[in-house]
Amino acid sequence: MSKKQFLLVIIWPLLMFNQALSQQKKMTLDDFEAPIGEWFECGEVKLNSVDAKRLTSLRGEGVFVNGKAGRIINLISKENFQDVHLTLEFMVSQGSNSGVYLQGRYEIQIFDSWGKENPVSWDCGGIYARYDGTKTYEGIAPLTNACKAPGEWQHLEIEFNAPRFNANGEKTKHAMFKKVKLNGITVHENAAVTGPTASSLDEIEEPLGPLMLQGDHGPVAYRNIVITKR
């Protein structure tokens, strides 16, 4: 092996590692557009000891909570994304509801579905249905109910491909959830979405869009939000 080859063997993995890091972002509240309403940061959350439909926060940092009432504005990232790998952890109170919207338009449902035998599209991990103004349609239920009990931290992992467009702006491929795992269990694989799901940021499909976290359907907390461009 020549000296040049030796250096390539040593340096190339480091370059690739640095490039991967440059595509990865661990999000803070500063990464979301103002105003953020009553969203705040704390060190930990747990179910309220008096009312299981509420969350109690503890001092510190690293956990995002949607206010005391759990019915405030959505968080929308400043940056727009295309194809991404997203991981995060979430906690809901009893009966609570939220959602993770890729590009602000395609929702993976966050919901207290603990113990439900036959989950549907609006249960936790489901791809939420579309809405035409009169009815919902095309939702995709999770393959299995992998939801934990309210008050437990849960892990969500999403591999997402954005829709594709030709030079005339015409869509050539639907958005695709390549793989979605809830608490380590695959709940979707190669699931196409024909358009924005209900309660999306807008009804426009584009190559890029923000990450949106729903904040107006009940108490929820998020932490360790890491988004990696692919």
Side-chain angles (χ1 to χ4, degrees):
M1 181 185 294
S2 68
K3 184 177 180 180
K4 183 177 181 181
Q5 289 173 321
F6 176 77
L7 289 173
L8 284 173
V9 169
I10 298 298
I11 294 172
W12 182 250
L14 294 175
L15 291 174
M16 295 301 293
F17 179 71
N18 287 335
Q19 183 179 5
L21 285 180
S22 69
Q23 299 297 308
Q24 186 181 90
K25 174 188 285 291
K26 184 172 182 179
M27 304 190 78
T28 71
L29 282 180
D30 289 337
D31 291 310
F32 294 92
E33 291 182 354
I36 62 170
E38 295 179 7
W39 282 90
F40 67 92
E41 189 171 4
C42 66
E44 185 56 280
V45 293
K46 59 182 180 180
L47 281 184
N48 185 283
S49 59
V50 177
D51 184 358
K53 294 184 177 181
R54 296 170 55 197
L55 296 175
T56 297
S57 60
L58 305 176
R59 289 184 179 181
E61 57 186 26
V63 178
F64 310 156
V65 184
N66 63 335
K68 294 182 179 180
R71 295 194 179 276
I72 59 174
I73 63 175
N74 301 331
L75 284 180
I76 301 171
S77 67
K78 295 176 181 176
E79 186 173 356
N80 290 322
F81 302 95
Q82 190 177 44
D83 299 345
V84 296
H85 179 262
L86 173 69
T87 60
L88 57 81
E89 294 174 276
F90 67 90
M91 182 192 294
V92 292
S93 62
Q94 188 179 83
S96 194
N97 180 343
S98 182
V100 176
Y101 289 77
L102 282 298
Q103 295 197 317
R105 301 180 179 101
Y106 314 99
E107 180 187 8
I108 296 295
Q109 172 78 323
I110 303 297
F111 190 68
D112 172 23
S113 301
W114 168 244
K116 187 169 183 178
E117 290 187 5
N118 299 302
V120 293
S121 63
W122 57 83
D123 281 308
C124 196
I127 298 173
Y128 205 77
R130 302 189 64 195
Y131 182 63
D132 67 2
T134 60
K135 64 182 183 302
T136 57
Y137 62 103
E138 289 188 0
I140 305 175
L143 295 173
T144 187
N145 186 1
C147 185
K148 294 182 180 181
E152 292 190 44
W153 280 109
Q154 307 194 54
H155 187 269
L156 182 66
E157 179 179 358
I158 299 171
E159 187 176 342
F160 174 80
N161 283 357
R164 294 298 194 263
F165 302 86
N166 62 24
N168 296 321
E170 300 164 330
K171 187 169 68 169
T172 58
K173 282 188 179 181
H174 293 311
M176 172 83 71
F177 286 99
K178 293 289 291 180
K179 183 169 285 190
V180 180
K181 289 185 177 182
L182 177 60
N183 298 319
I185 298 172
T186 298
V187 292
H188 295 288
E189 198 158 16
N190 296 322
V193 187
T194 62
T197 58
S199 300
S200 59
L201 185 62
D202 56 44
E203 292 296 317
I204 303 167
E205 291 193 281
E206 296 177 321
L208 299 168
L211 174 67
M212 184 170 79
L213 304 178
Q214 192 175 53
D216 63 349
H217 279 52
V220 64
Y222 288 98
R223 70 181 183 187
N224 296 327
I225 304 169
V226 178
I227 191 163
T228 305
K229 299 175 185 177
R230 296 191 293 106

